[in-house]
Amino acid sequence: MNKVDQPADKRPLKRLFFRHYLMICGLLLGTIFVSLLAADLLMNRVFDTSPDFTKIHIADLYDPAAGSIRRELLEEYGGWIELVNPSGEIVLTQGVKGDNIDSYSREELYAKLDVLRNEESVYYHAYPVKGPQGEPYVLLWKIPEPWWDISLALGIFGVLFVAFLFVALYYYTRFSVRQVKKPIQQIVEGIREMERLNYNKRLEFSAEQEFAEIREAFNAMAQRLQRTSAERDAAETNKRNMLLHLSHDLKTPVTSVFGYSKLLMDNRELEQGQQEKYIRYIHDKSSYMAKLIQDLFELAKLDDPRLKLKKEKVNLPVWFQALVAEFYPDMEARGFVLEAQIEETPLFVLLDQVHMNRVVTNLIGNAMKYNPPGTVLYVSCRRKGDRAEVCIGDSGAGLQEDVRDRLFDEFIRPAGPGKDGTGLGLAICQKIIALHEGTIELEAHADYATLFRISLPCGNFDNGRLQV
Protein backbone atom coordinates (compact mmCIF):
# COMPACT_ATOMS: atom_id res chain seq x y z
CA MET A 1 0.00 0.00 0.00
CA ASN A 2 1.35 3.40 -0.93
CA LYS A 3 1.63 6.14 1.65
CA VAL A 4 -1.10 8.13 -0.04
CA ASP A 5 -3.42 5.10 0.19
CA GLN A 6 -2.89 4.50 3.88
CA PRO A 7 -5.81 5.51 6.14
CA ALA A 8 -5.25 8.45 8.42
CA ASP A 9 -4.39 7.69 12.02
CA LYS A 10 -7.56 8.34 14.03
CA ARG A 11 -6.00 7.81 17.45
CA PRO A 12 -5.24 11.51 18.11
CA LEU A 13 -8.86 12.39 17.22
CA LYS A 14 -10.17 9.64 19.51
CA ARG A 15 -7.95 10.86 22.34
CA LEU A 16 -9.26 14.39 21.84
CA PHE A 17 -12.92 13.27 21.94
CA PHE A 18 -12.28 11.03 24.95
CA ARG A 19 -10.57 13.85 26.85
CA HIS A 20 -13.45 16.26 26.20
CA TYR A 21 -15.94 13.50 27.07
CA LEU A 22 -14.28 13.07 30.46
CA MET A 23 -14.22 16.83 31.01
CA ILE A 24 -17.92 17.14 30.19
CA CYS A 25 -18.77 14.22 32.49
CA GLY A 26 -16.78 15.87 35.28
CA LEU A 27 -18.55 19.14 34.52
CA LEU A 28 -21.97 17.46 34.84
CA LEU A 29 -21.05 15.74 38.10
CA GLY A 30 -19.70 18.96 39.55
CA THR A 31 -22.82 20.85 38.50
CA ILE A 32 -25.06 18.21 40.11
CA PHE A 33 -23.07 18.39 43.36
CA VAL A 34 -23.16 22.19 43.52
CA SER A 35 -26.87 22.26 42.62
CA LEU A 36 -27.66 19.78 45.41
CA LEU A 37 -25.75 21.86 47.96
CA ALA A 38 -27.41 25.07 46.82
CA ALA A 39 -30.90 23.48 46.80
CA ASP A 40 -30.39 22.06 50.30
CA LEU A 41 -29.21 25.45 51.54
CA LEU A 42 -32.24 27.23 50.03
CA MET A 43 -34.69 24.68 51.40
CA ASN A 44 -33.23 24.91 54.90
CA ARG A 45 -32.89 28.70 54.97
CA VAL A 46 -35.88 29.89 52.92
CA PHE A 47 -38.53 27.30 52.13
CA ASP A 48 -38.38 24.89 55.09
CA THR A 49 -41.66 25.10 57.13
CA SER A 50 -40.82 22.42 59.72
CA PRO A 51 -40.42 23.58 63.31
CA ASP A 52 -37.06 24.03 65.00
CA PHE A 53 -37.36 21.17 67.47
CA THR A 54 -34.33 22.37 69.45
CA LYS A 55 -36.28 25.47 70.49
CA ILE A 56 -39.57 23.73 71.37
CA HIS A 57 -40.20 23.04 75.07
CA ILE A 58 -42.33 20.21 76.40
CA ALA A 59 -44.62 22.76 78.01
CA ASP A 60 -45.52 24.02 74.50
CA LEU A 61 -46.92 20.56 73.69
CA TYR A 62 -48.16 19.01 76.94
CA ASP A 63 -49.74 20.18 80.18
CA PRO A 64 -48.82 17.57 82.83
CA ALA A 65 -51.12 19.03 85.47
CA ALA A 66 -54.18 18.69 83.27
CA GLY A 67 -52.86 15.68 81.40
CA SER A 68 -53.80 17.32 78.06
CA ILE A 69 -51.99 18.02 74.77
CA ARG A 70 -51.82 21.58 73.45
CA ARG A 71 -53.03 22.26 69.87
CA GLU A 72 -51.25 25.54 69.01
CA LEU A 73 -48.13 24.03 67.38
CA LEU A 74 -50.20 21.35 65.67
CA GLU A 75 -52.30 23.99 63.99
CA GLU A 76 -49.15 25.80 62.85
CA TYR A 77 -47.01 22.85 61.69
CA GLY A 78 -49.50 20.01 61.25
CA GLY A 79 -49.28 16.31 62.19
CA TRP A 80 -50.59 14.72 65.35
CA ILE A 81 -49.36 14.01 68.89
CA GLU A 82 -49.66 10.74 70.73
CA LEU A 83 -49.16 10.09 74.45
CA VAL A 84 -47.67 6.62 75.04
CA ASN A 85 -47.74 5.01 78.50
CA PRO A 86 -44.97 2.78 79.90
CA SER A 87 -46.67 -0.29 78.39
CA GLY A 88 -46.40 1.17 74.91
CA GLU A 89 -50.11 1.87 74.56
CA ILE A 90 -51.41 5.13 73.10
CA VAL A 91 -53.57 6.67 75.79
CA LEU A 92 -54.16 10.09 74.23
CA THR A 93 -54.12 11.54 70.72
CA GLN A 94 -54.36 15.14 69.58
CA GLY A 95 -54.81 16.09 65.90
CA VAL A 96 -55.87 14.11 62.87
CA LYS A 97 -54.30 10.68 63.23
CA GLY A 98 -52.81 9.42 60.00
CA ASP A 99 -52.17 5.76 60.88
CA ASN A 100 -53.81 2.80 62.66
CA ILE A 101 -51.13 2.17 65.28
CA ASP A 102 -52.58 1.61 68.79
CA SER A 103 -49.44 0.56 70.64
CA TYR A 104 -45.66 0.20 70.29
CA SER A 105 -43.20 -2.33 71.51
CA ARG A 106 -39.88 -1.00 72.79
CA GLU A 107 -37.98 -2.26 69.72
CA GLU A 108 -40.64 -0.94 67.35
CA LEU A 109 -40.56 2.48 68.97
CA TYR A 110 -36.78 2.64 68.73
CA ALA A 111 -37.00 1.66 65.04
CA LYS A 112 -39.54 4.41 64.37
CA LEU A 113 -37.28 6.99 66.00
CA ASP A 114 -34.24 5.85 63.97
CA VAL A 115 -34.29 7.86 60.74
CA LEU A 116 -32.18 5.30 58.89
CA ARG A 117 -34.47 2.38 59.89
CA ASN A 118 -37.80 4.15 59.55
CA GLU A 119 -39.22 3.38 56.12
CA GLU A 120 -42.39 5.46 56.57
CA SER A 121 -42.86 8.95 55.18
CA VAL A 122 -43.56 10.24 58.70
CA TYR A 123 -41.09 12.03 60.96
CA TYR A 124 -41.16 10.93 64.65
CA HIS A 125 -40.14 13.32 67.45
CA ALA A 126 -40.20 11.95 71.02
CA TYR A 127 -40.34 13.88 74.30
CA PRO A 128 -40.18 12.23 77.74
CA VAL A 129 -43.04 13.49 79.97
CA LYS A 130 -44.76 12.43 83.19
CA GLY A 131 -48.31 11.23 83.44
CA PRO A 132 -50.95 12.41 85.92
CA GLN A 133 -49.52 10.13 88.62
CA GLY A 134 -45.92 10.85 87.71
CA GLU A 135 -45.61 7.85 85.39
CA PRO A 136 -42.87 8.02 82.67
CA TYR A 137 -44.79 8.68 79.47
CA VAL A 138 -43.48 9.36 75.94
CA LEU A 139 -44.96 12.17 73.89
CA LEU A 140 -44.71 11.44 70.14
CA TRP A 141 -45.14 14.25 67.63
CA LYS A 142 -45.64 12.62 64.23
CA ILE A 143 -45.39 14.92 61.19
CA PRO A 144 -46.05 13.46 57.72
CA GLU A 145 -43.45 14.33 55.10
CA PRO A 146 -44.99 17.06 52.92
CA TRP A 147 -44.95 15.99 49.26
CA TRP A 148 -45.02 19.59 48.14
CA ASP A 149 -41.65 20.10 49.89
CA ILE A 150 -40.19 17.28 47.81
CA SER A 151 -41.63 18.73 44.62
CA LEU A 152 -40.35 22.17 45.59
CA ALA A 153 -36.89 20.77 46.34
CA LEU A 154 -36.82 18.95 43.01
CA GLY A 155 -37.95 22.09 41.21
CA ILE A 156 -35.30 24.22 42.94
CA PHE A 157 -32.68 21.60 42.13
CA GLY A 158 -33.75 21.51 38.48
CA VAL A 159 -33.67 25.29 38.13
CA LEU A 160 -30.30 25.55 39.84
CA PHE A 161 -28.91 22.67 37.80
CA VAL A 162 -29.94 24.28 34.53
CA ALA A 163 -28.57 27.67 35.62
CA PHE A 164 -25.27 26.30 36.89
CA LEU A 165 -24.93 24.02 33.87
CA PHE A 166 -25.48 26.97 31.53
CA VAL A 167 -22.82 29.00 33.36
CA ALA A 168 -20.41 26.05 33.43
CA LEU A 169 -20.92 25.31 29.73
CA TYR A 170 -20.48 28.98 28.90
CA TYR A 171 -17.10 29.17 30.63
CA TYR A 172 -16.12 25.70 29.37
CA THR A 173 -16.93 26.80 25.82
CA ARG A 174 -14.91 30.00 26.26
CA PHE A 175 -12.03 27.99 27.65
CA SER A 176 -12.22 25.43 24.82
CA VAL A 177 -12.47 28.13 22.15
CA ARG A 178 -9.50 29.96 23.67
CA GLN A 179 -7.52 26.69 23.72
CA VAL A 180 -8.35 26.05 20.05
CA LYS A 181 -8.47 29.58 18.64
CA LYS A 182 -4.81 30.49 19.05
CA PRO A 183 -3.41 27.24 17.54
CA ILE A 184 -5.84 27.44 14.60
CA GLN A 185 -4.98 31.10 13.99
CA GLN A 186 -1.27 30.30 13.96
CA ILE A 187 -1.80 27.28 11.70
CA VAL A 188 -3.81 29.38 9.22
CA GLU A 189 -1.18 32.11 9.36
CA GLY A 190 1.57 29.54 8.83
CA ILE A 191 -0.22 28.10 5.78
CA ARG A 192 -0.58 31.60 4.32
CA GLU A 193 3.15 32.19 4.85
CA MET A 194 3.84 28.91 3.06
CA GLU A 195 1.70 30.12 0.16
CA ARG A 196 3.93 33.22 0.04
CA LEU A 197 6.97 30.86 -0.11
CA ASN A 198 8.12 32.08 3.31
CA TYR A 199 9.47 28.87 4.82
CA ASN A 200 10.99 30.59 7.87
CA LYS A 201 7.63 30.56 9.66
CA ARG A 202 7.42 28.34 12.74
CA LEU A 203 4.43 27.61 14.99
CA GLU A 204 4.93 28.44 18.65
CA PHE A 205 2.04 27.77 21.02
CA SER A 206 1.16 25.62 24.01
CA ALA A 207 -1.82 23.37 23.40
CA GLU A 208 -3.23 19.89 23.82
CA GLN A 209 -1.32 16.91 22.53
CA GLU A 210 -3.20 16.79 19.21
CA PHE A 211 -2.40 20.41 18.37
CA ALA A 212 1.15 19.89 19.62
CA GLU A 213 1.50 17.03 17.10
CA ILE A 214 0.20 19.34 14.35
CA ARG A 215 2.67 22.01 15.47
CA GLU A 216 5.62 19.63 15.37
CA ALA A 217 4.55 18.20 12.00
CA PHE A 218 4.14 21.71 10.55
CA ASN A 219 7.51 22.89 11.86
CA ALA A 220 9.21 19.75 10.51
CA MET A 221 7.56 20.28 7.13
CA ALA A 222 8.57 23.97 7.12
CA GLN A 223 12.15 22.99 7.96
CA ARG A 224 12.22 20.45 5.12
CA LEU A 225 10.75 22.98 2.68
CA GLN A 226 13.22 25.62 3.84
CA ARG A 227 16.11 23.20 3.35
CA THR A 228 14.76 22.12 -0.04
CA SER A 229 14.30 25.75 -1.07
CA ALA A 230 17.83 26.59 0.03
CA GLU A 231 19.18 23.59 -1.86
CA ARG A 232 17.17 24.58 -4.93
CA ASP A 233 18.47 28.15 -4.71
CA ALA A 234 22.00 26.86 -4.27
CA ALA A 235 21.53 24.57 -7.27
CA GLU A 236 20.24 27.47 -9.35
CA THR A 237 23.18 29.59 -8.24
CA ASN A 238 25.61 26.79 -9.06
CA LYS A 239 23.92 26.35 -12.42
CA ARG A 240 24.28 30.06 -13.25
CA ASN A 241 27.88 30.07 -12.03
CA MET A 242 28.61 26.95 -14.07
CA LEU A 243 27.17 28.55 -17.19
CA LEU A 244 29.21 31.69 -16.56
CA HIS A 245 32.38 29.69 -16.01
CA LEU A 246 31.64 27.48 -18.97
CA SER A 247 31.03 30.43 -21.28
CA HIS A 248 34.21 32.07 -19.99
CA ASP A 249 36.26 28.89 -20.39
CA LEU A 250 34.96 28.25 -23.90
CA LYS A 251 35.10 31.82 -25.13
CA THR A 252 38.90 32.13 -25.27
CA PRO A 253 39.71 28.79 -26.97
CA VAL A 254 36.78 29.11 -29.42
CA THR A 255 37.90 32.61 -30.32
CA SER A 256 41.49 31.40 -30.76
CA VAL A 257 40.45 28.41 -32.88
CA PHE A 258 38.26 30.62 -35.02
CA GLY A 259 40.98 33.27 -35.41
CA TYR A 260 43.85 30.89 -36.26
CA SER A 261 41.72 28.77 -38.59
CA LYS A 262 40.64 31.93 -40.43
CA LEU A 263 44.26 33.06 -40.55
CA LEU A 264 45.24 29.73 -42.13
CA MET A 265 42.42 29.98 -44.65
CA ASP A 266 43.26 33.58 -45.60
CA ASN A 267 47.04 33.03 -45.82
CA ARG A 268 47.64 29.90 -47.83
CA GLU A 269 51.29 30.87 -48.47
CA LEU A 270 52.42 30.76 -44.81
CA GLU A 271 55.66 28.98 -44.05
CA GLN A 272 55.45 25.33 -43.06
CA GLY A 273 56.70 26.01 -39.53
CA GLN A 274 54.17 28.81 -39.04
CA GLN A 275 51.35 26.62 -40.28
CA GLU A 276 52.35 23.79 -37.96
CA LYS A 277 52.43 26.24 -35.05
CA TYR A 278 48.92 27.47 -35.77
CA ILE A 279 47.60 23.94 -36.31
CA ARG A 280 49.18 22.81 -33.02
CA TYR A 281 47.56 25.73 -31.26
CA ILE A 282 44.18 24.85 -32.77
CA HIS A 283 44.67 21.22 -31.75
CA ASP A 284 45.54 22.11 -28.15
CA LYS A 285 42.54 24.39 -27.76
CA SER A 286 40.24 21.84 -29.38
CA SER A 287 41.62 19.14 -27.10
CA TYR A 288 40.97 21.37 -24.08
CA MET A 289 37.38 22.00 -25.21
CA ALA A 290 36.82 18.30 -25.82
CA LYS A 291 38.10 17.48 -22.33
CA LEU A 292 35.94 20.22 -20.82
CA ILE A 293 32.84 18.91 -22.59
CA GLN A 294 33.70 15.35 -21.52
CA ASP A 295 34.06 16.44 -17.89
CA LEU A 296 30.74 18.28 -18.05
CA PHE A 297 29.12 15.19 -19.49
CA GLU A 298 30.64 13.07 -16.71
CA LEU A 299 29.47 15.54 -14.06
CA ALA A 300 25.93 15.48 -15.48
CA LYS A 301 25.90 11.67 -15.51
CA LEU A 302 26.94 11.54 -11.86
CA ASP A 303 24.01 13.82 -10.95
CA ASP A 304 21.56 11.54 -12.73
CA PRO A 305 19.60 9.56 -10.07
CA ARG A 306 19.23 6.68 -12.54
CA LEU A 307 22.99 6.11 -12.62
CA LYS A 308 23.92 2.68 -11.24
CA LEU A 309 27.53 1.99 -10.32
CA LYS A 310 28.98 -1.41 -11.17
CA LYS A 311 30.27 -2.23 -7.70
CA GLU A 312 32.20 -5.39 -7.03
CA LYS A 313 34.14 -6.94 -4.17
CA VAL A 314 37.66 -5.49 -4.18
CA ASN A 315 40.63 -6.00 -1.89
CA LEU A 316 41.33 -2.29 -1.42
CA PRO A 317 45.05 -2.42 -0.46
CA VAL A 318 45.92 -4.62 -3.46
CA TRP A 319 43.87 -2.50 -5.87
CA PHE A 320 45.30 0.77 -4.52
CA GLN A 321 48.91 -0.48 -4.54
CA ALA A 322 48.60 -1.60 -8.18
CA LEU A 323 47.12 1.75 -9.20
CA VAL A 324 49.86 3.75 -7.44
CA ALA A 325 52.53 1.54 -9.09
CA GLU A 326 51.35 2.70 -12.52
CA PHE A 327 52.47 6.24 -11.64
CA TYR A 328 55.89 5.21 -10.36
CA PRO A 329 57.76 5.67 -13.68
CA ASP A 330 56.37 9.23 -14.03
CA MET A 331 57.30 9.98 -10.41
CA GLU A 332 60.91 8.95 -11.02
CA ALA A 333 61.02 10.93 -14.25
CA ARG A 334 59.75 14.07 -12.51
CA GLY A 335 61.92 13.64 -9.42
CA PHE A 336 59.11 12.86 -6.95
CA VAL A 337 59.70 10.80 -3.80
CA LEU A 338 57.04 8.19 -2.98
CA GLU A 339 56.16 7.49 0.65
CA ALA A 340 53.66 4.63 0.93
CA GLN A 341 52.01 3.12 4.00
CA ILE A 342 49.66 0.48 2.63
CA GLU A 343 48.61 -2.35 4.96
CA GLU A 344 48.94 -5.88 3.63
CA THR A 345 45.97 -7.16 5.63
CA PRO A 346 43.03 -7.85 3.25
CA LEU A 347 40.44 -5.09 3.39
CA PHE A 348 37.41 -5.73 1.20
CA VAL A 349 35.04 -3.04 -0.02
CA LEU A 350 32.49 -2.65 -2.81
CA LEU A 351 33.93 -0.47 -5.59
CA ASP A 352 33.16 0.63 -9.10
CA GLN A 353 36.78 0.35 -10.21
CA VAL A 354 36.38 2.48 -13.33
CA HIS A 355 35.05 5.45 -11.39
CA MET A 356 37.36 5.04 -8.40
CA ASN A 357 40.35 4.76 -10.74
CA ARG A 358 39.50 8.24 -11.94
CA VAL A 359 39.44 9.55 -8.35
CA VAL A 360 42.92 8.23 -7.52
CA THR A 361 44.30 9.21 -10.95
CA ASN A 362 42.99 12.74 -10.56
CA LEU A 363 44.41 13.23 -7.06
CA ILE A 364 47.86 11.82 -7.88
CA GLY A 365 47.89 13.59 -11.24
CA ASN A 366 47.12 16.95 -9.60
CA ALA A 367 49.89 16.40 -7.03
CA MET A 368 52.40 15.79 -9.83
CA LYS A 369 51.05 18.62 -12.02
CA TYR A 370 51.04 21.44 -9.47
CA ASN A 371 54.24 20.67 -7.49
CA PRO A 372 57.97 20.98 -8.25
CA PRO A 373 60.50 18.12 -8.45
CA GLY A 374 61.65 16.75 -5.10
CA THR A 375 58.12 16.79 -3.66
CA VAL A 376 57.22 13.87 -1.39
CA LEU A 377 54.05 12.10 -2.56
CA TYR A 378 52.33 10.33 0.35
CA VAL A 379 49.81 7.49 -0.04
CA SER A 380 48.28 5.23 2.62
CA CYS A 381 45.52 2.65 2.98
CA ARG A 382 44.26 1.19 6.24
CA ARG A 383 41.19 0.10 8.15
CA LYS A 384 39.74 2.50 10.71
CA GLY A 385 36.83 0.99 12.64
CA ASP A 386 34.17 -0.08 10.16
CA ARG A 387 35.57 2.21 7.46
CA ALA A 388 38.34 1.92 4.91
CA GLU A 389 40.59 4.98 4.75
CA VAL A 390 42.71 6.06 1.78
CA CYS A 391 45.01 9.11 2.00
CA ILE A 392 46.78 10.92 -0.84
CA GLY A 393 48.94 13.94 -0.05
CA ASP A 394 52.09 15.81 -0.91
CA SER A 395 54.68 18.11 0.68
CA GLY A 396 54.53 20.59 -2.19
CA ALA A 397 53.43 24.19 -2.55
CA GLY A 398 50.01 23.69 -0.94
CA LEU A 399 46.81 25.57 -1.70
CA GLN A 400 45.66 29.12 -1.09
CA GLU A 401 43.26 29.57 1.81
CA ASP A 402 40.48 30.95 -0.39
CA VAL A 403 40.82 27.91 -2.67
CA ARG A 404 40.85 25.35 0.18
CA ASP A 405 37.34 26.33 1.28
CA ARG A 406 35.90 25.94 -2.23
CA LEU A 407 38.13 23.22 -3.58
CA PHE A 408 35.30 20.78 -4.44
CA ASP A 409 33.20 23.39 -6.28
CA GLU A 410 33.04 23.39 -10.06
CA PHE A 411 35.62 25.40 -12.04
CA ILE A 412 37.96 25.93 -9.08
CA ARG A 413 41.60 25.77 -10.14
CA PRO A 414 44.62 26.25 -7.90
CA ALA A 415 47.15 28.88 -8.91
CA GLY A 416 50.51 27.87 -10.29
CA PRO A 417 51.76 25.88 -13.28
CA GLY A 418 49.56 23.51 -15.17
CA LYS A 419 46.57 25.79 -15.71
CA ASP A 420 45.15 23.65 -18.49
CA GLY A 421 42.79 21.81 -16.13
CA THR A 422 39.04 22.20 -16.46
CA GLY A 423 38.42 22.81 -12.74
CA LEU A 424 35.88 19.95 -12.63
CA GLY A 425 38.10 17.07 -11.52
CA LEU A 426 37.67 17.37 -7.75
CA ALA A 427 33.94 18.02 -8.08
CA ILE A 428 33.66 14.79 -10.07
CA CYS A 429 35.78 12.96 -7.46
CA GLN A 430 33.51 14.09 -4.64
CA LYS A 431 30.38 12.92 -6.46
CA ILE A 432 31.92 9.52 -7.25
CA ILE A 433 32.89 8.98 -3.61
CA ALA A 434 29.43 10.12 -2.46
CA LEU A 435 27.89 7.47 -4.74
CA HIS A 436 30.06 4.94 -2.88
CA GLU A 437 28.54 6.22 0.40
CA GLY A 438 31.93 7.67 1.32
CA THR A 439 33.46 11.06 2.06
CA ILE A 440 36.51 13.00 0.88
CA GLU A 441 38.06 15.78 2.94
CA LEU A 442 41.01 18.10 2.61
CA GLU A 443 42.83 18.00 5.94
CA ALA A 444 45.53 20.16 7.48
CA HIS A 445 48.70 18.20 8.29
CA ALA A 446 52.02 19.23 9.76
CA ASP A 447 54.12 17.17 7.29
CA TYR A 448 52.05 17.53 4.12
CA ALA A 449 50.88 20.78 2.58
CA THR A 450 48.00 18.98 0.87
CA LEU A 451 46.33 15.83 2.21
CA PHE A 452 43.11 14.26 0.94
CA ARG A 453 41.44 11.68 3.19
CA ILE A 454 38.90 9.32 1.59
CA SER A 455 36.64 7.23 3.83
CA LEU A 456 34.62 4.30 2.44
CA PRO A 457 32.30 1.80 4.16
CA CYS A 458 33.59 -1.74 4.47
CA GLY A 459 32.22 -4.98 5.83
CA ASN A 460 32.74 -8.69 6.22
CA PHE A 461 32.07 -10.88 3.19
CA ASP A 462 30.62 -14.32 3.68
CA ASN A 463 30.37 -16.57 0.61
CA GLY A 464 30.92 -13.59 -1.61
CA ARG A 465 28.09 -11.56 -0.08
CA LEU A 466 28.56 -8.45 2.00
CA GLN A 467 27.57 -8.82 5.64
CA VAL A 468 27.34 -5.28 7.00
Side-chain angles (χ1 to χ4, degrees), residues 73-87:
L73 293 179
L74 288 177
E75 294 175 354
E76 182 177 356
Y77 296 109
W80 69 96
I81 298 177
E82 298 173 347
L83 186 64
V84 182
N85 64 16
S87 300

Side-chain angles (χ1 to χ4, degrees), residues 370-398:
Y370 295 107
N371 291 297
T375 300
V376 175
L377 181 64
Y378 170 76
V379 294
S380 70
C381 180
R382 62 171 181 165
R383 185 187 188 101
K384 189 174 182 180
D386 60 348
R387 311 282 291 183
E389 191 176 86
V390 174
C391 293
I392 300 174
D394 61 74
S395 63

Side-chain angles (χ1 to χ4, degrees), residues 16 28 129 142 217 265-266 298 322 327 446 459-460:
L16 180 62
L28 288 174
V129 297
K142 302 168 69 174
M265 292 178 63
D266 294 342
E298 185 72 21
F327 287 89
N460 297 320

Side-chain angles (χ1 to χ4, degrees), residues 3 16 89 109 149 158 207 240:
K3 291 185 178 180
L16 180 62
E89 299 175 350
L109 183 59
D149 281 356
R240 288 194 298 269

Side-chain angles (χ1 to χ4, degrees), residues 52-163:
D52 186 358
F53 295 100
T54 60
K55 297 181 180 181
I56 295 177
H57 299 285
I58 297 177
D60 297 330
L61 299 174
Y62 178 70
D63 185 359
S68 62
I69 301 174
R70 302 182 186 277
R71 299 180 54 88
E72 292 81 3
L73 293 179
L74 288 177
E75 294 175 354
E76 182 177 356
Y77 296 109
W80 69 96
I81 298 177
E82 298 173 347
L83 186 64
V84 182
N85 64 16
S87 300
E89 299 175 350
I90 300 174
V91 297
L92 182 63
T93 301
Q94 185 65 264
V96 181
K97 186 174 174 63
D99 57 31
N100 298 322
I101 300 175
D102 296 327
S103 63
Y104 301 95
S105 64
R106 184 179 298 275
E107 291 77 9
E108 186 179 7
L109 183 59
Y110 287 154
K112 297 291 185 183
L113 293 175
D114 189 348
V115 177
L116 298 177
R117 296 168 61 190
N118 186 4
E119 297 180 355
E120 300 179 11
S121 59
V122 177
Y123 296 115
Y124 283 69
H125 301 279
Y127 299 91
V129 297
K130 293 183 179 181
Q133 306 299 323
E135 306 93 327
Y137 280 29
V138 175
L139 192 69
L140 291 178
W141 187 0
K142 302 168 69 174
I143 303 177
E145 183 179 2
W147 291 104
W148 67 272
D149 281 356
I150 298 176
S151 301
L152 179 62
L154 290 175
I156 292 174
F157 169 76
V159 172
L160 290 175
F161 176 76
V162 172

Side-chain angles (χ1 to χ4, degrees), residues 287-441:
S287 176
Y288 169 78
M289 288 188 291
K291 187 175 186 307
L292 179 59
I293 293 172
Q294 179 62 32
D295 284 350
L296 285 172
F297 177 70
E298 185 72 21
L299 197 63
K301 281 202 309 181
L302 294 173
D303 285 330
D304 189 349
R306 295 171 297 179
L307 175 66
K308 300 296 183 181
L309 297 181
K310 296 180 180 179
K311 296 182 182 180
E312 55 185 326
K313 176 184 175 183
V314 174
N315 187 352
L316 188 65
V318 174
W319 168 82
F320 185 56
Q321 187 174 15
L323 194 58
V324 172
E326 294 179 6
F327 287 89
Y328 193 74
D330 288 341
M331 294 180 195
E332 285 189 327
R334 295 175 181 236
F336 277 70
V337 178
L338 178 63
E339 181 181 338
Q341 295 180 0
I342 301 176
E343 295 183 354
E344 296 182 0
T345 304
L347 177 57
F348 293 101
V349 296
L350 287 177
L351 285 186
D352 183 320
Q353 295 191 53
V354 174
H355 285 85
M356 286 302 295
N357 283 357
R358 171 158 189 174
V359 172
V360 175
T361 300
N362 184 278
L363 295 178
I364 296 178
N366 285 345
M368 297 174 63
K369 181 188 300 184
Y370 295 107
N371 291 297
T375 300
V376 175
L377 181 64
Y378 170 76
V379 294
S380 70
C381 180
R382 62 171 181 165
R383 185 187 188 101
K384 189 174 182 180
D386 60 348
R387 311 282 291 183
E389 191 176 86
V390 174
C391 293
I392 300 174
D394 61 74
S395 63
L399 300 168
Q400 302 87 348
E401 288 300 325
D402 58 334
V403 174
R404 296 179 72 93
D405 297 334
R406 301 179 295 116
L407 192 59
F408 296 102
D409 294 344
E410 293 85 357
F411 297 102
I412 299 298
R413 303 181 184 87
K419 297 181 180 180
D420 57 339
T422 62
L424 299 175
L426 290 179
I428 293 174
C429 291
Q430 187 182 48
K431 292 183 182 296
I432 291 174
I433 293 172
L435 290 173
H436 283 81
E437 301 178 6
T439 59
I440 179 171
E441 298 175 345

